[in-house]
């Protein structure tokens, strides 16, 4: 690697680090080229050589955060017995919850208002999270389907418009299982996502000051739905 290439790589790395620190400390709305440039000691125009404006920088941060987030979830799932499918799903989902609560700024970028602003810039990037996180969970769902454990609706029972949407979701995850399996996955995710938002943003905190009992109850229901009732 030439000196010029090395310096470029270092600046890109430093800019991404600074951007993530800004998001962690001040939220996704604090991210700007000028703020990041100030942190790394360059002028904003200098960053344009590496990122296509704020949207390009935000996309790069989104992808970096997604990779690190999914790696944490994968590690949690991988620590369980390969044959313990319910344990894998529980551990992975708990890792998602713990990461989200511990990293509200980055959660906001991946799944909250920060993501909405990124989409408003004309960049639909949720495919990244679907492919990486959905693909990870999909490995376990694939095993459940192959072994005949997972109850799932037939494709014909899904309303045509919904079937087309779920099929697109299934293709993004990159696994060759029936659309009905992907339907079970999105059914689980819509409940998980709701609880994540409650926990991260403190919704109903006056009643649910600790979200773990609600999480445990949700996981009991979801694991039963997936054909792997949780063992207490």
């Amino acid at each position: 690697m030439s000196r010029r290439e090395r310096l470029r790589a270092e600046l890109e790395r430093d800019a991404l680090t600074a951007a993530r620190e800004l998001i962690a400390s001040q939220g996704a709305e604090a991210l700007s080229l000028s703020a990041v440039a100030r942190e790394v000691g360059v002028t904003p125009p200098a960053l344009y050589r590496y990122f296509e404006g704020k949207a390009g920088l935000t996309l790069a941060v989104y992808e970096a955060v997604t990779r690190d987030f999914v790696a944490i979830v994968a590690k949690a799932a991988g620590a369980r017995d390969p044959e313990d499918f319910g344990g894998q799903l529980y551990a992975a989902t708990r890792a998602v919850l713990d990461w989200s609560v511990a990293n509200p700024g980055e959660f906001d970028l991946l799944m909250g208002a920060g993501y909405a602003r990124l989409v408003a810039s004309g960049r639909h990037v949720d495919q990244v999270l679907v492919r990486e996180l959905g693909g990870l969970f999909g490995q376990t769902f694939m095993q459940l389907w192959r072994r005949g454990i997972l109850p799932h609706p037939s494709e014909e029972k899904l309303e045509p418009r919904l079937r087309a949407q779920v099929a697109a979701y299934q293709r993004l995850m990159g696994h060759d299982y029936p659309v009905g399996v992907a339907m079970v996955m999105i059914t689980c995710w819509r409940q998980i996502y709701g609880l994540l938002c409650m926990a991260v943003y403190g919704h109903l905190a006056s009643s649910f000051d600790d979200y773990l009992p609600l999480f445990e109850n949700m996981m009991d229901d979801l694991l039963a739905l997936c054909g792997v009732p949780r063992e207490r």
Side-chain angles (χ1 to χ4, degrees):
M1 180 183 293
S2 67
R3 181 175 181 275
R4 183 174 183 177
E5 290 172 332
R6 186 174 66 255
L7 291 175
R8 176 190 178 97
E10 289 176 355
L11 180 56
E12 289 180 338
R13 184 185 63 245
D14 291 347
L16 285 175
T17 298
R20 293 182 65 168
E21 289 175 350
L22 277 170
I23 290 172
S25 63
Q26 301 178 42
E29 67 277 3
L31 184 61
S32 68
L33 277 176
S34 58
V36 172
R38 186 165 54 250
E39 290 295 322
V40 298
V42 299
T43 63
L47 289 183
Y48 273 93
R49 303 174 189 172
Y50 309 102
F51 307 101
E52 297 178 7
K54 179 182 176 180
L57 174 62
T58 306
L59 176 59
V61 175
Y62 179 97
E63 292 175 340
V65 171
T66 298
R67 286 194 299 270
D68 290 350
F69 166 48
V70 173
I72 290 170
V73 178
K75 183 178 180 180
R80 302 302 295 256
D81 186 316
E83 294 297 312
D84 182 9
F85 302 120
Q88 291 173 33
L89 291 173
Y90 177 89
T93 309
R94 176 61 188 270
V96 170
L97 174 66
D98 290 346
W99 179 90
S100 299
V101 172
N103 300 277
E106 293 188 328
F107 172 87
D108 190 56
L109 176 64
L110 295 192
M111 307 180 220
Y115 171 74
R117 286 190 291 272
L118 185 56
V119 170
S121 72
R123 295 173 181 269
H124 291 274
V125 296
D126 59 346
Q127 300 97 321
V128 178
L129 188 62
V130 173
R131 184 181 66 244
E132 300 299 329
L133 186 63
L136 173 63
F137 275 86
Q139 294 173 19
T140 302
F141 277 83
M142 174 70 84
Q143 291 297 322
L144 292 175
W145 168 64
R146 284 178 172 171
R147 300 190 186 200
I149 298 172
L150 179 71
H152 61 280
S154 66
E155 188 170 333
E156 294 73 22
K157 288 187 177 181
L158 298 178
E159 190 274 329
R161 291 176 298 173
L162 177 60
R163 182 169 64 240
Q165 292 176 327
V166 176
Y169 170 68
Q170 183 263 344
R171 287 192 296 272
L172 282 175
M173 289 186 287
H175 292 294
D176 187 20
Y177 41 55
V179 171
V181 174
M183 184 65 217
V184 177
M185 291 186 68
I186 197 63
T187 298
C188 292
W189 178 246
R190 69 189 181 194
Q191 292 194 49
I192 294 167
Y193 179 69
L195 181 58
L196 293 178
C197 289
M198 286 177 65
V200 173
Y201 299 126
H203 294 312
L204 300 182
S206 59
S207 302
F208 298 93
D209 57 330
D210 176 4
Y211 290 96
L212 285 182
L214 200 58
F215 174 81
E216 298 287 333
N217 178 265
M218 177 189 72
M219 290 306 301
D220 286 341
D221 290 346
L222 295 185
L223 291 176
L225 177 68
C226 295
V228 282
R230 187 176 169 209
E231 296 181 4
R232 292 283 189 168

